């Protein structure tokens, strides 16, 4: 028998004789059930079971008592499948009222109304109970086989309904489960798509940097050599010229002391060659050339930093605060006429970094902030702080701000909006590379006409395998 099998029947009738009749019909003396068991054993090969009644029948002699039994059965999780209810019971609830109460507690219950006559018309009764599909009518006097077949059929119906509702629950549960899985899968997918997009963006950025880095490294390498001998030659030239100078002076004074025509001719030649001007201008030219080649050298150095070929630097634990202060000193002259400095520092722990490179980042940000100022004096605010395993530095200015369509280009190498000579467009891409090398992050917020804030986050401790 399946676990859903329910043979429990409740009979509610005020007449004890009716209970007797039902007992005889539904729970006859055993031979019948023994026969049935034997048949089942022959058909399905199961063991003949010990005798068992066809139905379990409980008796109640009034509506209230019937309801009590039904509630108790529900509490014990042994519900009735079927109730036979007498229509006319003189004391207490009549059949209709009893059935209403029974169904309030157990809507699954199949009900057979038994009656010879009723205080209602059948139409009235069906209208009142509104459950045509769970209600059968059995008119007295009834036939035994009629009762037995009703009981059999309705018990089966109860079981099928129960099974269907269980399966329905199971299906609903499965649908819920699947829906949740789909939701989860779609969320996962969305997250993956977002991550991919972000990674692609980073990849494009780092590829750009890498290819330009290689180019820059190559150029820097090629240029380094000529810069070396040009600046060394300029130094030597400067020395030679300094050696020659006293000689010219000596020639001049000896010539003048000669007097006469020789002296006049010498003076004439000297004027024709503009010797006085040359003597004055040559050292100036040498100095300018030295400065120029020094600047070229600086650009090459920037390019080398940018391409990260410079491996001289050492990772070390350093205090950023000191770095910030010394960097501010270096750029003080740039800031002096442009902006007031506001410092809003929290004490920072030492961090593991390449200090000179971090200084360079700060310098780039501060110089950019100063250069973003218009004719009016502005404010540059430096903030520092610690958050979890990171330190952060913010450089905020009240300058021009950055238009939205420019914002995504500012970290590109050689992107600049400044006139030639003022901007190389390398500052931010260099800074980006340095910050990434430290495993950190650089972000920018900007509002046109209001100002710009750059925020650099750096991990306190590096977990790199090799540098
Ligand atoms: N604080 C700032 N305010 C406004 N614009 C900025 C700021 N910082 C950077 N920019 C913009 O980003 C560009 C790139 O900056 P950067 O890489 O430092 O190169 P450069 O300063 O040589 O132009 C600048 O030309 C400028 O347009
Ligand atoms: Mg710059």
């Amino acid at each position: 028998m399946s676990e859903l099998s329910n043979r429990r029947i409740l009979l509610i009738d005020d007449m004890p004789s009716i209970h007797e009749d039902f007992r005889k019909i539904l729970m006859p003396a055993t031979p019948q059930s023994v026969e049935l068991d034997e048949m089942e054993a022959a058909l399905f090969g199961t063991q003949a079971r010990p005798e068992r009644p066809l139905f379990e029948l409980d008796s109640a002699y009034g509506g209230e008592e019937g309801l009590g039994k039904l509630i108790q059965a529900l509490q014990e999780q042994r519900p009735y499948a079927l109730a036979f209810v007498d229509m006319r019971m003189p004391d207490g609830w009549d059949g209709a009222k009893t059935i209403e109460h029974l169904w309030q507690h157990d809507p699954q219950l199949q009900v057979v109304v038994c009656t010879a006559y009723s205080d209602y018309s059948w139409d009235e009764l069906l209208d009142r109970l509104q459950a045509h599909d769970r209600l059968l009518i059995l008119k007295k006097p009834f036939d035994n086989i009629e009762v037995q077949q009703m009981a059999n059929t309705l018990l089966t119906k109860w079981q099928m309904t129960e099974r269907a509702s269980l399966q329905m629950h199971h299906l609903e549960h499965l649908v819920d489960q699947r829906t949740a899985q789909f939701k989860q899968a779609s969320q996962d997918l969305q997250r993956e798509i977002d991550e991919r997009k972000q990674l692609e963006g980073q990849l494009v950025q780092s590829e750009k940097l890498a290819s330009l880095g290689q180019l820059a490294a190559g150029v820097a390498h090629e240029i380094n050599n000529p810069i070396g001998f040009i600046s060394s030659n300029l130094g030597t030239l400067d020395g030679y010229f300094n050696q020659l100078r006293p000689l010219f002076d000596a020639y001049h004074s000896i010539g003048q002391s000669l007097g006469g025509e020789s002296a006049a001719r010498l003076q004439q030649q000297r004027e024709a060659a503009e010797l006085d001007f040359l003597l004055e201008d040559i050292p100036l030219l040498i100095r300018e050339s030295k400065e120029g080649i020094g600047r070229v050298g600086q650009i090459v150095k920037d390019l080398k930093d940018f391409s990260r070929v410079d491996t001289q630097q050492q990772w070390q634990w350093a205090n950023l605060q000191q770095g910030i202060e010394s960097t501010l000193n270096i750029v003080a002259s740039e800031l002096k006429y442009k902006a007031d400095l506001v410092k809003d520092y929290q004490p920072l722990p030492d961090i593991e970094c390449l200090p000179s490179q971090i200084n360079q980042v700060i310098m780039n940000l501060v110089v950019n902030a100063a250069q973003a100022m218009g004719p009016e004096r502005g404010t540059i605010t430096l903030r520092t702080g610690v958050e979890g395993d990171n330190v952060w530095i913010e450089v905020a200015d009240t300058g021009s701000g950055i238009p939205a369509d420019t914002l995504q280009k500012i970290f590109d190498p050689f992107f600049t909006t400044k006139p030639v000579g003022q901007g190389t467009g390398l500052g931010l891409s260099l800074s980006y590379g340095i910050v990434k090398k430290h495993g950190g992050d650089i972000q920018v917020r900007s509002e046109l006409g209001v100002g710009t804030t750059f925020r650099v986050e750096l991990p306190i401790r590096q977990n790199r395998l090799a540098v």
Side-chain angles (χ1 to χ4, degrees):
M1 251 195 252
S2 105
E3 60 197 38
L4 286 173
S5 174
N6 180 353
R7 313 295 294 172
R8 292 168 56 71
I9 299 174
L10 178 63
L11 173 62
I12 306 176
D13 198 310
D14 59 317
M15 305 260 292
S17 63
I18 295 281
H19 288 266
E20 281 304 302
D21 292 346
F22 266 81
R23 213 158 282 280
K24 279 186 202 140
I25 300 168
L26 297 177
M27 305 174 76
T30 49
Q32 202 182 356
S33 85
V34 171
E35 266 170 38
L36 265 178
D37 279 346
E38 279 169 355
M39 257 162 68
E40 202 179 313
L43 277 172
F44 305 112
T46 49
Q47 282 281 315
R49 271 180 291 248
E51 293 167 21
R52 62 176 164 77
L54 282 177
F55 304 99
E56 289 176 50
L57 185 65
D58 280 349
S59 292
Y61 296 90
E64 290 89 335
E65 188 194 347
L67 180 66
K69 292 211 157 175
L70 177 120
I71 290 173
Q72 194 184 349
L74 283 174
Q75 279 168 356
E76 292 168 1
Q77 299 194 328
R78 301 173 65 233
Y80 293 105
L82 168 63
F84 286 94
V85 182
D86 185 22
M87 199 62 219
R88 177 171 262 209
M89 293 180 282
D91 303 324
W93 299 339
D94 69 358
K97 186 154 194 173
T98 304
I99 295 168
E100 274 176 344
H101 279 285
L102 294 180
W103 273 342
Q104 264 172 21
H105 286 86
D106 184 1
Q108 310 286 77
L109 186 71
Q110 305 291 323
V111 175
V112 178
V113 183
C114 320
T115 185
Y117 48 88
S118 167
D119 295 330
Y120 309 90
S121 75
W122 291 118
D123 282 342
E124 254 180 297
L125 179 72
L126 289 176
D127 250 14
R128 177 170 168 187
L129 293 176
Q130 284 294 323
H132 308 181
D133 62 334
R134 283 170 287 162
L135 188 71
L136 284 184
I137 297 163
L138 181 64
K139 287 190 184 163
K140 291 179 187 173
F142 39 74
D143 213 46
N144 288 7
I145 191 68
E146 211 177 344
V147 172
Q148 224 176 57
Q149 275 315 101
M150 267 190 179
N152 267 325
T153 314
L154 288 177
L155 291 193
T156 308
K157 185 178 167 215
W158 184 91
Q159 282 168 28
M160 280 162 56
T161 314
E162 190 71 3
R163 191 166 297 148
S165 112
L166 268 181
Q167 273 171 356
M168 202 61 167
H169 267 104
H170 183 59
L171 275 179
E172 274 170 9
H173 179 67
L174 275 183
V175 169
D176 284 352
Q177 231 177 9
R178 280 290 150 85
T179 312
Q181 281 170 354
F182 278 137
K183 250 193 207 157
Q184 184 62 41
S186 120
Q187 278 170 358
D188 288 353
L189 199 64
Q190 190 55 50
R191 190 162 347 110
E192 212 168 292
I193 290 171
D194 290 348
E195 271 173 17
R196 242 162 228 241
K197 269 193 197 152
Q198 208 183 347
L199 276 179
E200 266 171 26
Q202 281 175 9
L203 202 65
V204 168
Q205 183 70 13
S206 55
E207 264 175 14
K208 265 195 229 164
L209 285 176
S211 55
L212 270 149
Q214 276 171 0
L215 184 74
V219 172
H221 183 74
E222 291 302 318
I223 294 179
N224 229 4
N225 218 11
I227 287 177
F229 63 74
I230 292 173
S231 82
S232 135
N233 287 358
L234 281 172
T236 314
L237 199 61
D238 202 18
Y240 289 168
F241 182 72
N242 287 336
Q243 275 170 260
L244 282 178
R245 248 202 114 104
L247 204 60
F248 279 118
D249 290 343
Y251 282 141
H252 182 55
S253 55
I254 292 169
Q256 271 184 336
S257 66
L258 283 177
E261 199 189 332
S262 317
R265 244 190 30 232
L266 220 56
Q267 182 59 29
Q268 202 184 358
Q269 290 223 332
R270 186 183 174 107
E271 276 165 19
E274 295 184 274
L275 189 62
D276 287 336
F277 172 72
L278 294 190
L279 290 178
E280 217 172 282
D281 206 32
I282 286 171
L284 276 180
L285 292 183
I286 292 177
R287 180 144 43 87
E288 266 178 26
S289 301
K290 271 182 164 173
E291 267 172 28
I293 206 69
R295 239 187 282 160
V296 174
Q298 183 59 43
I299 291 173
V300 168
K301 191 173 161 298
D302 280 353
L303 284 174
K304 273 168 72 184
D305 281 349
F306 166 64
S307 60
R308 304 169 205 174
V309 289
D310 189 351
T311 50
Q312 304 280 27
Q313 308 213 34
Q314 291 283 318
W315 286 89
Q316 54 188 267
W317 289 90
N319 187 297
L320 283 193
Q321 210 66 65
Q322 281 166 12
I324 293 172
E325 287 311 310
S326 57
T327 306
L328 286 177
N329 287 339
I330 295 170
V331 295
S333 60
E334 291 254 4
L335 306 186
K336 207 161 42 182
Y337 303 107
K338 299 234 162 179
D340 298 316
L341 258 187
V342 176
K343 298 174 183 177
D344 179 5
Y345 298 150
Q346 280 174 38
L348 293 184
D350 284 5
I351 73 162
E352 199 180 357
C353 63
L354 298 168
S356 66
Q357 296 205 355
I358 299 298
N359 293 348
Q360 202 177 344
V361 173
I362 294 162
M363 178 151 89
N364 286 331
L365 297 183
V366 173
V367 169
N368 277 350
Q371 288 175 340
M373 297 302 169
E376 277 180 36
R377 196 176 173 76
T379 309
I380 298 174
T381 309
L382 272 106
R383 299 188 194 90
T384 60
V386 189
E387 206 175 270
D389 294 334
N390 292 324
V391 300
W392 56 264
I393 306 152
E394 276 187 4
V395 179
D397 65 58
T398 57
S400 61
I402 305 173
D405 57 337
T406 306
L407 209 56
Q408 69 233 34
K409 294 186 240 162
I410 58 172
F411 292 104
D412 288 355
F414 303 110
F415 175 82
T416 181
T417 54
K418 293 169 192 170
V420 181
Q422 230 200 85
T424 60
L426 280 177
L428 285 181
S429 65
L430 216 109
S431 304
Y432 181 91
I434 293 172
V435 171
K436 286 290 159 187
K437 179 153 76 180
H438 282 74
D441 200 14
I442 181 166
Q443 294 150 9
V444 57
R445 300 192 299 274
S446 189
E447 200 176 329
L448 212 56
V450 177
T452 306
T453 302
F454 280 88
R455 182 185 171 95
V456 174
E457 286 175 6
L458 296 166
I460 293 173
R461 175 179 293 279
Q462 295 293 319
N463 46 11
R464 74 213 123 79
L465 296 172
V467 184

